[in-house]
Amino acid sequence: MTRLLSLLGGIAGFYRGNTAGIVGSTIVALILAMCLAAPALTGFDPDKRVARGHQPPSTEHVMGTTRAGKDVWSQALYGGRVSLMVAFAAATVTSIIALAVGVSSGYFGGRTDEIMMAVTNVMLVFPQLPLLIILAAFLGNVGPLVIALILGLTSWPWGARVMRSQTLALRNKEFITAAEIMGEAKWRIIVIEIMPNLVSLAAGMFVGTALYAIGAQAGLEFLGLGDPTVTSWGTMLYWAQSSAAFFVGAWWDFIVPGSFIALVGGGLALINISIDQISNPKLKTGSYLRTWRRLNAEINAKRQEA
């Protein structure tokens, strides 16, 4: 119970005076809830023809239909499940690898550090977007799970370097030295002493990777490198482009998935900014900024009185 209250207090403290975090979390949470509640929000099957092709928005089909006569609103909600799953799965894979490599490299040092950083530097040499396109093209029409793995396995090097840098700064702290003198196991020092100090960085890395994955998945699928039979925001854009929706005036066919991608991307970006503002002392805002403004106003008032 105490831990739960402490966790809730920490969450409340994060959002207190943090406008960017509140807005971003609200946007992402609302879209996620809508996608999860898709069966209650639409009665149409996203993969079945339900009307004539490129029917404009109406009371029956609030976001119109595609060239194939499928309901766009239904596809956006059910496709959002796939796109968000890919984004969060890729972010999870990236975070796990980056934490494992960065913390191990920074704490153990020596030969372990040399080998892990050599591998990390090799991964950093390759430009990521061309590498993603080559891998996706080599594997053929890849499904959402494979795209998530490709994104996760190619996005960890930068995060690993950040984690290594922070671990190096923590390794010589007094509480780490005390734990080592007391004979604590190395794995316990990493998990209990070091990891909690990396939570804000790990959270920022997770959100940043999810933001990147949303756009990368949509890009790969728009290029035709995904599985066109799986409904997602990226494949919706692919089919809209293939059916020349822009040229025939069916703006809803590409505006709807594009808007969902933009909204989720904007929400994740706001969350990432808010995490950076909280974890980086140079960028602290919220209640700190209001306190600074109040003190600054008092100082200016005293100067004017003098």
Side-chain angles (χ1 to χ4, degrees), residues 121-131:
N121 291 333
V122 169
M123 291 294 297
L124 286 172
V125 168
F126 295 102
Q128 193 171 13
L129 183 58
L131 179 61

Side-chain angles (χ1 to χ4, degrees), residues 159-173:
R161 291 186 69 88
V162 172
M163 294 301 166
R164 173 182 178 270
S165 176
Q166 188 65 18
T167 303
L168 286 172
L170 292 170
R171 187 176 62 180
N172 295 322
K173 294 290 185 180

Side-chain angles (χ1 to χ4, degrees), residues 32-44 46 73-74 76-81:
L32 180 60
M34 290 169 58
C35 292
L36 292 177
L41 297 177
T42 177
F44 298 106
W73 176 242
S74 176
L77 294 180
Y78 281 97
R81 292 180 172 185

Side-chain angles (χ1 to χ4, degrees), residues 251-265:
W251 52 266
W252 56 87
D253 205 357
F254 56 87
I255 286 293
V256 173
S259 298
F260 271 95
I261 292 172
L263 285 172
V264 172

Side-chain angles (χ1 to χ4, degrees), residues 58-83:
S58 62
T59 54
E60 184 178 7
H61 303 285
V62 293
M63 295 295 178
T65 62
T66 66
R67 174 71 178 274
K70 300 176 181 178
D71 186 72
V72 172
W73 176 242
S74 176
Q75 286 201 323
L77 294 180
Y78 281 97
R81 292 180 172 185
V82 176
S83 294

Side-chain angles (χ1 to χ4, degrees), residues 50-231:
V50 295
R52 70 178 189 272
H54 280 164
Q55 180 177 329
S58 62
T59 54
E60 184 178 7
H61 303 285
V62 293
M63 295 295 178
T65 62
T66 66
R67 174 71 178 274
K70 300 176 181 178
D71 186 72
V72 172
W73 176 242
S74 176
Q75 286 201 323
L77 294 180
Y78 281 97
R81 292 180 172 185
V82 176
S83 294
L84 292 173
M85 180 275 293
V86 169
F88 294 138
T92 300
V93 172
T94 295
S95 299
I96 291 173
I97 297 176
L99 276 170
V101 173
V103 175
S104 298
S105 178
Y107 180 71
F108 292 108
R111 190 67 175 172
T112 301
D113 184 28
E114 292 178 3
I115 294 174
M116 289 187 172
M117 283 301 100
V119 175
T120 302
N121 291 333
V122 169
M123 291 294 297
L124 286 172
V125 168
F126 295 102
Q128 193 171 13
L129 183 58
L131 179 61
L132 290 174
I133 295 175
I134 291 171
L135 289 174
F138 176 76
L139 294 173
N141 289 336
V142 295
L145 180 59
V146 178
I147 290 179
L149 288 174
I150 291 175
L151 292 172
L153 294 174
T154 57
S155 304
W156 59 268
W158 285 110
R161 291 186 69 88
V162 172
M163 294 301 166
R164 173 182 178 270
S165 176
Q166 188 65 18
T167 303
L168 286 172
L170 292 170
R171 187 176 62 180
N172 295 322
K173 294 290 185 180
E174 293 79 2
F175 62 94
I176 299 294
T177 304
E180 291 175 340
I181 293 174
M182 292 173 63
E184 294 284 355
K186 293 186 180 298
W187 68 266
R188 192 178 187 282
I189 293 176
I190 291 175
V191 174
I192 304 299
E193 304 292 347
I194 295 179
M195 289 289 192
N197 291 283
L198 302 178
V199 170
S200 60
L201 289 176
M205 178 176 59
F206 181 90
V207 174
T209 304
L211 171 60
Y212 169 76
I214 283 284
Q217 183 212 7
L220 290 174
E221 291 178 337
F222 179 75
L223 294 173
L225 298 175
D227 186 351
T229 64
V230 177
T231 302

